[in-house]
Amino acid sequence: AARITSSLSRLTLFTPPSYVCLTPHSRSYYTPKDPNYKYFRPNFAFKRKHYNPKFKKDRWLKVTKVELPEIDTKDDVDKMTPDEIRAKMKEKGIQPTRPWQEKPIVISSTAGTFEPYVPPEGDGKLSTTSKAGAKQKFQFLEKKGKSMMAIRKIRQYDEDFDPKDFAEEAQKIYIDTHKALADFDKVRLHQTVTERAYPIVTHQAHRSTIRWHFLGSLEPPRVVHARCTDVITTDNIFAQITVRFHTKQILAVYDRFGRLQHGSEVVARDVLEYVVFEKHIANTYGIWRIHDKIIPDWMPPRQPTLKTYKIEEIKEEEEATPSDKESKDGVAAELEKPSISVAHA
């Protein structure tokens, strides 16, 4: 009946109103222009989502737009103002160049010993009657004159400076430095040692244990050399003074396993040293600190440091070797044989 009604509606000029609803029925085929049939257009578009989301980010980066650098921009840069260049570099994430090449630094110590003191061979004086003795006397007078000029320069900044009093002060600095090194007190070491000598003094010190004792001076310390020099400017002056120490000390160095590497805690030794002290005299708050140590060629070689090693224990193989196995089989065969007593024989 519904089919006939729909056919008649097509033949007649009368169009049924949209609100007229016919009796619903079920069917599996399509009837065109049927008001009771909802039509969905077929969607032939494929899925946008990839079946494998593993490389999702890589697929996204594959189509990312990249701003290529401009090759012929030299002329444009020449025409740009400094503000425009700065904005362009900021846009690209480049740090602007500085208008100066210098970097601020603090010079609190020199890089070495200028005009180092050369101790006489054997730490003695030759006879003035000989040719070598006369030459040595002339060198002493020349060096003494330069040292006096350097001391006079130091007194321009420190009026109370006296070489004899400084020798006692230098010995206190010398003792404090060794005690701070034995305790590995970094704060105290920076106060008694310059920045140049600090890495030399503390080399491998954190890996060992140091026992040091100062027993006394065999000879009073004395100033043997003094020099002054300027760095960069004529007003920036550094002073260096070499002090001779002849002392009796006890030194023992142990490695991290507690084994003795150098010296002894029982045997005391006589030590002859020429230590260089430095001060930035142009600085109002400059202090005297250990800067270097002079080791002459004629001085006997130092006692070598004993190198210690850790020997790993080798575990014995549990499996027996073929020779051991054969010997064990032979012993077992001998035990299995019937024993004959002497009485039965």
Side-chain angles (χ1 to χ4, degrees):
R3 195 182 310 163
I4 295 168
T5 305
S6 62
S7 300
L8 290 173
S9 65
R10 276 189 250 112
L11 294 173
T12 60
L13 297 173
F14 174 75
T15 305
S18 59
Y19 59 85
V20 176
C21 184
L22 300 177
T23 307
H25 63 278
S26 62
R27 61 176 179 271
S28 60
Y29 57 90
Y30 167 64
T31 301
K33 297 183 180 180
D34 188 353
N36 292 330
Y37 185 80
K38 192 173 183 181
Y39 174 70
F40 295 94
R41 287 187 177 183
N43 185 12
F44 299 102
F46 57 87
K47 290 184 178 181
R48 299 290 180 182
K49 188 174 182 181
H50 198 272
Y51 68 93
N52 185 7
K54 185 177 180 180
F55 303 104
K56 182 179 179 181
K57 187 177 181 181
D58 296 337
R59 288 192 295 272
W60 171 68
L61 292 173
K62 187 169 63 175
V63 294
T64 303
K65 292 184 179 179
V66 181
E67 293 184 4
L68 298 175
E70 299 176 3
I71 300 173
D72 301 330
T73 57
K74 187 176 180 181
D75 299 335
D76 297 340
V77 172
D78 296 339
K79 296 176 182 178
M80 293 169 66
T81 61
D83 294 337
E84 292 176 351
I85 294 172
R86 184 180 179 86
K88 195 74 174 177
M89 296 179 73
K90 191 175 181 180
E91 179 186 351
K92 295 182 179 181
I94 304 173
Q95 186 178 5
T97 56
R98 296 181 179 272
W100 61 88
Q101 298 294 335
E102 296 82 5
K103 293 184 178 180
I105 58 174
V106 177
I107 302 175
S108 58
S109 65
T110 58
T113 305
F114 44 88
E115 295 186 33
Y117 175 69
V118 181
E121 187 174 354
D123 193 40
K125 296 181 180 180
L126 300 173
S127 176
T128 54
T129 56
S130 62
K131 183 178 179 181
K135 185 178 179 181
Q136 187 186 71
K137 187 69 174 178
F138 177 75
Q139 291 177 352
F140 281 166
L141 291 173
E142 184 180 3
K143 292 178 180 178
K144 189 175 181 180
K146 291 183 178 180
S147 297
M148 292 299 296
M149 293 294 291
I151 291 170
R152 187 179 298 176
K153 190 73 174 178
I154 295 170
R155 282 175 178 165
Q156 292 180 4
Y157 296 88
D158 186 5
E159 297 178 356
D160 300 331
F161 179 79
D162 186 12
K164 294 181 180 179
D165 296 339
F166 173 74
E168 299 294 333
E169 181 185 353
Q171 187 171 355
K172 292 179 182 178
I173 298 171
Y174 177 82
I175 295 171
D176 291 345
T177 302
H178 283 78
K179 287 182 178 179
L181 181 61
D183 299 335
F184 203 69
D185 187 356
K186 295 182 180 180
V187 178
R188 184 58 182 159
L189 278 173
H190 278 293
Q191 297 174 359
T192 58
V193 173
T194 60
E195 285 73 16
R196 184 255 179 189
Y198 181 81
I200 301 173
V201 170
T202 58
H203 178 65
Q204 298 291 340
H206 64 285
R207 295 177 178 267
S208 58
T209 303
I210 301 173
R211 298 283 184 266
W212 183 84
H213 300 283
F214 181 80
L215 302 180
S217 298
L218 300 176
E219 295 181 39
R222 57 187 176 88
V223 176
V224 295
H225 195 70
R227 289 292 184 273
C228 290
T229 188
D230 56 273
V231 178
I232 300 176
T233 60
T234 55
D235 298 334
N236 191 29
I237 301 175
F238 287 84
Q240 291 183 356
I241 294 180
T242 306
V243 183
R244 177 184 179 273
F245 295 107
H246 192 195
T247 59
K248 186 179 284 292
Q249 305 174 12
I250 291 177
L251 174 65
V253 181
Y254 298 91
D255 64 355
R256 54 181 177 167
F257 303 109
R259 300 168 186 152
L260 184 65
Q261 280 188 308
H262 180 78
S264 173
E265 287 195 61
V266 181
V267 180
R269 291 184 177 275
D270 299 343
V271 182
L272 178 63
E273 290 179 313
Y274 295 89
V275 183
V276 180
F277 293 82
E278 185 182 85
K279 180 182 179 182
H280 190 194
I281 57 176
N283 184 6
T284 308
Y285 305 101
I287 56 175
W288 289 102
R289 297 182 293 176
I290 293 177
H291 185 69
D292 197 4
K293 185 184 291 186
I294 296 173
I295 302 174
D297 299 333
W298 50 264
M299 189 170 286
R302 296 181 179 181
Q303 180 183 352
T305 303
L306 300 175
K307 293 183 178 180
T308 58
Y309 302 93
K310 183 181 179 181
I311 302 174
E312 296 182 358
E313 296 181 359
I314 302 174
K315 296 182 179 179
E316 297 181 358
E317 297 181 358
E318 296 180 358
E319 297 181 1
T321 57
S323 59
D324 297 340
K325 196 172 183 181
E326 291 176 1
S327 61
K328 288 181 181 179
D329 294 342
V331 172
E334 290 293 335
L335 293 173
E336 289 177 0
K337 289 182 179 180
S339 58
I340 302 173
S341 62
V342 180
H344 289 288

